């Protein structure tokens, strides 16, 4: 059984494609009949694993036998295939879309354009029979050992089970974080009330001591950034006013 990539996307998201290029594919030993292939890109999925990436879903149809299977490839897989074919056939011309270095690589408009570009790459490859005989091409499309329907279903089911388990764990972690946030908010509220109560007690205790009241007011201002900003502005205005009075006296 051919090995599918580990990152198999959700099969529920399907985007239609107009790619319908077909080709008569000769077998490597030229002894078997030449099957006609259709390979459209029928969907893509943005995966959220250790890193964010996009997986493209390719439907391989052998029109001669009626067999059909799916393979899932990233842009980097297409680029590796392109590089191998260029190494084997230096003069080959394949329209692989360039890697995007700037901008949002997960924007739906960009991904739709990327699908069109990759479909053109596949169609061009299908039109060059010599390239289809290359082992790297046959491996890319799983032509020699296509995955069976049951294999795909079982692997997809395993992937979905793993995703459900991950979602459950993430929900549990989120609930714990929300509980921590609520607890911290409550602690902050209690501390704020306690602080206000202490300030009230101190003000009552020093109300008959002007010097103590002045010092306490200074400490309060230093402890509050907003009050400190206002006090600094007030001091600047006072200094400017004093300088103006001195200037008038000198005149």
């Amino acid at each position: 059984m051919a090995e599918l990539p580990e990152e198999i996307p959700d099969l529920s998201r399907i985007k239609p494609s107009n790619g319908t290029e077909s080709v008569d594919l000769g077998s490597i030993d030229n002894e078997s009949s030449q099957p006609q292939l259709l390979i459209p890109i029928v969907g893509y999925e943005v995966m959220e694993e250790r890193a964010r990436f996009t997986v493209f879903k390719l439907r391989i149809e052998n029109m001669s036998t009626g067999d059909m299977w799916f393979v899932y490839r990233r842009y980097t897989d297409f680029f590796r295939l392109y590089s191998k074919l260029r190494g084997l056939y230096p003069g080959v011309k394949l329209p692989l879309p360039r890697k995007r270095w700037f901008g949002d690589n997960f924007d739906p408009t960009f991904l739709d354009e990327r699908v069109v570009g990759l479909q053109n790459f596949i169609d061009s490859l299908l039109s060059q029979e010599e390239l289809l005989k290359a082992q790297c091409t046959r491996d890319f499309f799983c032509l020699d050992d296509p995955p069976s329907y049951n294999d795909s279903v079982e692997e997809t089911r395993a992937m979905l089970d793993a995703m459900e388990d991950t979602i459950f764990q993430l929900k549990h972690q989120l609930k714990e974080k929300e509980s921590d946030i609520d607890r911290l908010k409550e602690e902050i509220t209690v501390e704020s009330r306690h602080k206000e109560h202490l300030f009230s007690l101190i003000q009552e205790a020093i109300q008959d001591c002007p010097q103590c009241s002045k010092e306490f007011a200074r400490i309060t201002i230093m402890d509050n950034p907003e009050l400190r900003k206002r006090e600094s502005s007030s001091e600047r205005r006072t200094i400017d006013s004093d300088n103006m009075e001195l200037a008038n006296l000198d005149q």
Side-chain angles (χ1 to χ4, degrees), residues 103-137:
D104 184 4
N105 286 336
F106 307 102
D107 176 69
T109 300
F110 167 75
L111 289 175
D112 289 340
E113 293 174 352
R114 173 58 57 85
V115 167
V116 172
L118 294 177
Q119 186 65 62
N120 289 335
F121 172 83
I122 294 174
D123 293 346
S124 177
L125 194 157
L126 289 175
S127 67
Q128 304 179 61
E129 185 175 344
E130 189 67 24
L131 301 183
L132 287 169
K133 295 179 180 180
Q135 191 60 47
C136 57
T137 300

Side-chain angles (χ1 to χ4, degrees), residues 50-230:
R50 293 179 295 275
R52 199 177 185 200
F53 57 89
T54 303
V55 175
F56 299 93
K57 181 180 180 181
L58 284 62
R59 185 176 68 228
I60 318 297
E61 299 181 50
N62 186 327
M63 306 303 291
S64 300
T65 64
D67 293 334
M68 182 184 71
W69 63 93
F70 296 94
V71 295
Y72 303 91
R73 298 291 182 257
R74 298 172 59 177
Y75 174 82
T76 52
D77 298 321
F78 281 91
F79 184 80
R80 292 191 189 102
L81 175 61
Y82 172 80
S83 299
K84 290 178 180 178
L85 291 174
R86 286 294 301 273
L88 293 172
Y89 308 97
V92 68
K93 294 185 181 298
L94 291 171
L96 182 71
R98 294 183 178 181
K99 184 177 181 63
R100 186 180 190 182
W101 295 102
F102 302 100
D104 184 4
N105 286 336
F106 307 102
D107 176 69
T109 300
F110 167 75
L111 289 175
D112 289 340
E113 293 174 352
R114 173 58 57 85
V115 167
V116 172
L118 294 177
Q119 186 65 62
N120 289 335
F121 172 83
I122 294 174
D123 293 346
S124 177
L125 194 157
L126 289 175
S127 67
Q128 304 179 61
E129 185 175 344
E130 189 67 24
L131 301 183
L132 287 169
K133 295 179 180 180
Q135 191 60 47
C136 57
T137 300
R138 303 185 71 86
D139 292 341
F140 184 85
F141 295 118
C142 299
L143 297 179
D144 295 323
D145 193 9
S148 66
Y149 173 79
N150 289 334
D151 292 335
S152 299
V153 170
E154 289 301 322
E155 292 190 25
T156 302
R157 182 180 295 113
M159 181 273 297
L160 292 176
D161 290 342
M163 291 184 66
E164 288 179 357
D165 183 61
T166 300
I167 292 173
F168 175 80
Q169 294 179 10
L170 290 174
K171 286 183 177 180
H172 180 69
Q173 294 176 10
L174 180 60
K175 186 176 294 185
E176 289 182 344
K177 296 298 182 182
E178 289 176 345
S179 298
D180 291 340
I181 291 174
D182 291 338
R183 178 178 54 80
L184 290 173
K185 286 182 177 179
E186 184 176 352
E187 290 179 359
I188 292 173
T189 300
V190 172
E191 288 295 327
S192 297
R193 292 174 179 173
H194 181 62
K195 184 177 180 180
E196 292 174 358
H197 179 64
L198 288 177
F199 273 29
S200 178
L201 293 177
I202 293 173
Q203 286 177 333
E204 291 179 2
I206 64 175
Q207 60 183 353
D208 295 330
C209 177
Q211 183 62 30
C212 296
S213 298
K214 182 178 180 180
E215 182 64 19
F216 179 71
R218 185 186 69 80
I219 295 174
T220 302
I221 291 173
M222 294 301 295
D223 189 56
N224 190 314
E226 185 62 28
L227 291 177
R228 186 166 64 248
K229 182 179 179 180
R230 294 177 183 177

